[in-house]
Every structure is written in structure tokens, then in C-alpha cells.
Amino acid sequence: MQRGVLVSTEQFNPAALVDFARALDTRGYDSLWLPELFGREPIATAGYLLGKTERIAIATGIANVYVRDAHAMAQARHTLAELSGGRFMLGLGVSNAGLNTSRGHTWQAPLPKMTAFLDALDKVEVAAPAAPRCPTYIAAHGPQLQTLGAKRTDGVITYLMTPQHAQQTRERIGGSAALSVVAMFLAEQDPTVARAKARSALKMYVRLDYYHREWRKLGFVDADFANGGSDRLIDTLVAWGDDATLRTRIAAFENAGATRVIVMPLAIQSKQGLDLRVLDALAPARA
């Protein structure tokens, strides 16, 4: 059983972030995944955390292929794998058109963009001491990118999808490629409170057409994307409730073929301090 955790690191000061990574390690989580948006740079943050921890793997989830060329990415991958003794994992993705064009990049269709990047990445020779092999994955929801990930990398990462989607993905990529699914979990049993918090977490994604395309394939319709998302959409994308309910959802992903479920815990910062109920409920060490 492989389970990781993905969080935005900006909610922690440096010491607290290290404490959080160590707390995950003691609970049996194998990896901490770092997103890339508008805050801390994930490659640099990974280096910091790898230097401050002993066992847990640190991964990018994901590093944007538009903002680093293949040489920079290859050097980062090699360096972090070498200096950490093999505890770094590289997750790659194309992000989205709006974020990339706002930074001055010309958007390309995801499949040719990622294919060209992997071609370039494979050709880079890093002039540095030998390093342990670094697992590399790509973020992919549709059949073409998933097939590319299965053929050219160690596997694929999905985000905000369902166990049904995980099963479809496993059928596409075969049995040998890794499948890591990122899913949101919330330790809240009041439906009104839970759905309000879930809608807040999902508000950016519910507006994006490329998520709509994938969700429609899973049976959702345009009405499900209106007004912050229907209850049906919210309850499908965010597992909320008691410990048993959260465990049932994570088991559904694992039974559907996920190699690793990457837990994205919502509302972990509270007025009383850090709320680790989700992470305690789903901890591999306590399963």
C-alpha cells in the first residue's frame, strides 16, 4: 500500500513544514508531493525538505514543463536524486493555458508538447556523479497522454478524478505502469459545512473546461458545474465524513487499480492548530 500526501506548502513556516513532513513519515506515508502555483518553487522546496528529512520521498506534483527547459529539469532531477540518496520523484505536467500564457509562454496542445519535452529530457546528459534512478511521472487524464505516460515514463498522475476514472486509466496503461491519484479528503460530518469547504477548495477547478471534459465522460453534465458545483459533483470529488467513510473512498481508488493514492487533506489549519484527523484516519501505519 503506497499513500502520499499533497499540500500547498505556503501554509507552513519552514520549521513547521519540516515537522509536517516528519509527521507524515511516522504515519507511514511514503511521499510528500509539492504543487506548483504562485508560491514556493517546488524544486527548491524539495531540496530543502530532502535535506531536513531522512526517509520520506519528496515529489513534485507537478513541475510545469513550460517554465523549465529539459536541461534544467534533467539537472534538477539528477541532483536531487543524487543528494537525497534516491528519495526524489519528479512529476511533470503542462499545467493549463491560462497560467502559461499569462507568463509569456505560447500554449501548445498537451500531447505534442509533452512528447517533445520527454524527447528532449531523454537526450540530456548530466555531467555529475552517478545518481539513483529518479522515478518520473506525467499528469494525464485523457487516453493519449496516459498512453504516453505508460510508454515513456514510470506512470501517470491524475487529479480530482473518481475511482471509475482510475479503473479506466488502469485499463489504458496496463498493469506495469504506476498510477497515482490525487484526491481530496475532509474530516467533516456536517453536510452543509463539508460541502461549503469542498466548494471553496474546488472553485478554481469547477470553472475549467478541460476538467469539464473529463467529468462529462464520467456522467456529469453542465448543470453539475454551475454555482460552484452540484452536491453530486462535490460529494464525488471530495470524500468527507467520518473515518470509515474516508477509508471507504481511499479503498475504492486502490481497488480500482491505483498504485498510490495521494491524499489532499482539506482544512488542516484550524484555530486550534494543525488538524491531522484525515491523515490519521488514512495513515498506512495505522491501517
Side-chain angles (χ1 to χ4, degrees):
M1 180 187 347
Q2 290 181 311
R3 292 182 186 171
V5 174
L6 183 147
V7 296
S8 60
T9 68
E10 292 77 23
Q11 61 191 305
F12 301 99
N13 66 43
L17 180 57
V18 173
D19 289 342
F20 181 74
R22 291 173 176 168
L24 298 181
D25 192 8
T26 62
R27 287 165 171 78
Y29 291 97
D30 77 313
S31 50
L32 173 57
W33 295 71
L34 310 176
E36 177 166 25
L37 285 170
F38 306 107
R40 290 190 177 119
E41 197 279 330
I43 300 291
T45 305
Y48 171 77
L49 285 170
L50 288 165
K52 297 286 187 178
T53 55
E54 294 77 38
R55 293 182 301 181
I56 193 168
I58 307 298
T60 57
I62 49 76
N64 185 347
V65 299
Y66 277 86
V67 301
R68 300 169 192 85
D69 68 20
H71 285 264
M73 199 78 82
Q75 289 175 295
R77 178 175 66 176
H78 186 102
T79 301
L80 291 178
E82 176 204 350
L83 298 181
S84 69
R87 289 191 295 120
F88 179 63
M89 298 188 292
L90 180 65
L92 301 172
V94 297
S95 189
N96 67 65
L99 289 177
N100 285 313
T101 57
S102 69
R103 296 174 69 167
H105 302 286
T106 301
W107 177 253
Q108 302 173 43
L111 182 63
K113 174 65 177 180
M114 184 59 76
T115 301
F117 190 88
L118 293 177
D119 289 344
L121 191 66
D122 287 347
K123 294 176 182 177
V124 177
E125 296 183 8
V126 180
R133 184 179 176 279
C134 177
T136 300
Y137 313 95
I138 66 170
H141 292 148
Q144 292 181 313
L145 269 182
Q146 289 187 345
T147 299
L148 178 70
K151 289 181 177 179
R152 299 287 304 277
T153 72
D154 293 284
V156 302
I157 307 165
T158 66
Y159 186 76
L160 297 183
M161 294 295 145
T162 67
Q164 177 189 357
H165 186 271
Q167 183 176 358
Q168 294 170 353
T169 301
R170 176 52 68 197
E171 292 169 356
R172 290 170 187 152
I173 67 176
S176 58
L179 169 57
S180 297
V181 300
V182 181
M184 292 180 174
F185 293 83
L186 175 62
E188 176 57 62
Q189 298 186 47
D190 182 304
T192 301
V193 175
R195 287 171 179 149
K197 290 181 178 180
R199 283 190 176 90
S200 178
L202 289 169
K203 63 183 178 183
M204 178 176 74
Y205 305 101
V206 173
R207 301 169 184 164
L208 298 174
D209 62 343
Y210 58 92
Y211 278 101
H212 294 177
R213 286 197 297 271
E214 291 303 318
W215 294 336
R216 286 191 189 98
K217 296 175 188 176
L218 300 170
F220 294 98
V221 298
D222 287 351
D224 289 305
F225 313 139
N227 302 315
S230 67
D231 286 352
R232 183 170 76 106
L233 181 71
I234 295 301
D235 294 350
T236 301
L237 299 182
V238 180
W240 57 267
D242 59 16
D243 289 0
T245 301
L246 302 183
R247 293 187 189 115
T248 297
R249 181 67 61 86
I250 205 168
F253 280 111
E254 292 170 341
N255 292 336
T259 311
R260 174 187 290 110
V261 178
I262 303 173
V263 176
M264 189 173 179
L266 302 184
I268 60 173
Q269 294 285 4
S270 71
K271 294 179 180 179
Q272 291 73 39
L274 203 58
D275 184 350
L276 298 179
R277 286 178 294 165
V278 165
L279 300 176
D280 285 336
L282 302 178
R286 302 179 185 185

